[in-house]
Amino acid sequence: EKGGFDHFMLKEIYEQPEAIRDTYRGRMLPEKGLIKMAGIDDHISKFLNAKRIIIVACGTSWHAGLVAEYTFEDLARIPVEVEYASEFRYRNPVINKDDVVIAISQSGETADTMAAINLAKENGAFVFGVCNVVGSSISRATDAGAYTHAGPEIGVASTKAFTTQITVLSLIALKLGKEKGSISNSDFNMYLNELELIPAKIEQALESNNHIIQVADFYKNARNCLYLGRGFNFPVALEGALKLKEISYIHAEGYPAAEMKHGPIALIDEEMPVVVIATKKGHYEKVVSNVQEIKSRKGKIIAVVTQGDQQVKKIADHVIEIPDTFEAFTPLLTTIPLQLISYHIAVMLDKNVDQPRNLAKSVTVE
Ligand code: F6R
C-alpha cells in the first residue's frame, strides 16, 4: 500500500508530479488558451465583481492561502486577505455581500474552517471551497468549489495536498486574470505552458534526494532551525518550518527574510541552521545580503537555489538546486526539498513520520 516506500509521507512527496497533473488535467487547455473550471465558470460574475477575496484555512492549507494571496494580487489584481479560520470565526469580522470567501481544506472536515464558512454564509458572502476529499463536509457546505484531485493523503504531515492546492489556486488566479484583462493573452498562454512543465521540474527536484539525505544528516541534531523566504516563498518558509516541527519535533520558525533584522537575527550563532529560499527570481539580491548577514554571524546556511546559481553557492554551507520557473510557480518547486529535509531528519531521529505525536489528520474539534 506504500508502493515500495518506507512511509506514506515519502510516497506522497513522490506522488506530487502525478498529483499536480491530475489537478490540472481537463482544466488547463493550453492549445485552446483556456482554463475550464465549472465551479468558477458557473459563478464568474461573483469573482469578477468581488471587491475582495477572503481566504480562510488552518495549518498547511493556510500556507497555501498565503501563496495564493501573492498569486491573486499579482495576476488577477484582486485584493486578498488570508485568515486563520480559528481567528476569523471569533473576531466579528467585516464580511460584505460582494466578498468572495475561499475556504481551503485537504480533509474538508476541519471544524474551525467549517465555522468560518458558516459565518461567511450567514453574512451573505459567496463561499468557494478548495478541498481534496470528495464529498467532505466543507465541499458540501460551500456554494461552489474545485477539488484538488491529489488522491488520498494518509501521512499526517500534509505534502501533496499543499502543492495541489497551490496549483488549483494558481489556475483560478490565471483564469480571473485573463477574464479581467490584468494579464495579456500571451502571458496567460506562457503561464499555462510553464505550469505544464512543473510536474517534470518537480521530478528533477526530487533527484536531489540523496544529496538532501546528506544535508539532513548534518543538521539532525539541531535544537532550533530558522526558515527564511521572501515574496511567493515567504509562505514556503512557514511551511518548511511547520513540516520540521511536526514530524521531527525540532523547534523551527519561518520568517519573511527581511524581518530577520527585526528580531530573529539575535538567535543566530554557530548552532543555528538557517534554511534560506534564494531562488533567482524575486528579491534575489536582497536575500543574498541576508545570507551574508547570517554567515557573518556564523549561522549555518542551507540554501535552496535556482540551478546554476553562483553567488549563494559561494557563501552557503549547503545548496540544494531546483529548476528555474516563473516566480509565481517557484513555491511548487522550493517546497519539495523542504519536505524531504524534514522527512529524512525525522527518519534519522527515529520518529513516527506518518503519525506524529499529538497530531490528527483532520481536526474536527476546535
Ligand atoms: C500540516 C497539517 C495541518 C493541516 C491542518 C488543516 O502538515 O497537516 O496543519 O494542514 O490541520 O487541515 P485541512 O487542510 O484538512 O483543513
Side-chain angles (χ1 to χ4, degrees), residues 308-335:
D309 179 279
Q310 296 296 329
Q311 255 177 291
V312 176
K313 202 170 277 175
K314 284 189 213 130
I315 325 168
D317 296 270
H318 300 274
V319 295
I320 303 165
E321 293 192 333
I322 53 149
D324 195 15
T325 185
F326 294 175
E327 191 181 359
F329 297 149
T330 51
L332 295 169
L333 303 182
T334 52
T335 300

Side-chain angles (χ1 to χ4, degrees), residues 212-240:
I212 293 171
I213 292 175
Q214 293 172 352
V215 176
D217 193 51
F218 214 82
Y219 295 103
K220 62 176 191 282
N221 295 318
R223 305 282 303 122
N224 299 284
C225 191
L226 205 56
Y227 284 72
L228 303 176
R230 272 192 96 145
F232 288 90
N233 285 296
F234 151 54
V236 177
L238 299 184
E239 174 60 9

